[in-house]
Amino acid sequence: VLIAADWANRHGLLTFGMTGYDGGQLKQMQQAGIHVPLDDMGMVESIHTCLIHWVVDDLHARVNRTGRHGG
């Protein structure tokens, strides 16, 4: 992941990370992201998963024009 983020940064792409704990190296090199400042891997993963589901649900609503999206 770090090698990919470094490559993307060097090639002008947007890097977006999802981190927990103190964020590690990825938080320092990402251009945008979601950081969950907890020291509990299960809780961090659960929050990340919840957010991903929300994004996918919103995208699905936009593509299918169901009117359920938030924007």
Side-chain angles (χ1 to χ4, degrees):
V1 170
L2 296 177
I3 292 169
D6 178 58
W7 184 92
N9 284 334
R10 287 185 288 110
H11 288 85
L13 301 172
L14 173 65
T15 52
F16 185 95
M18 295 180 77
T19 58
Y21 294 85
D22 67 359
Q25 289 178 296
L26 181 58
K27 187 176 178 212
Q28 301 305 313
M29 55 192 315
Q30 70 191 21
Q31 296 169 26
I34 296 170
H35 176 67
V36 180
L38 298 175
D39 293 336
D40 180 331
M41 185 187 317
M43 186 59 71
V44 170
E45 288 179 350
S46 294
I47 292 168
H48 286 166
T49 301
C50 180
L51 293 170
I52 290 169
H53 279 289
W54 175 75
V55 168
V56 169
D57 185 58
D58 186 69
L59 178 61
H60 183 269
R62 290 170 187 263
V63 167
N64 293 297
R65 302 184 193 277
T66 62
R68 293 177 39 208
H69 63 84

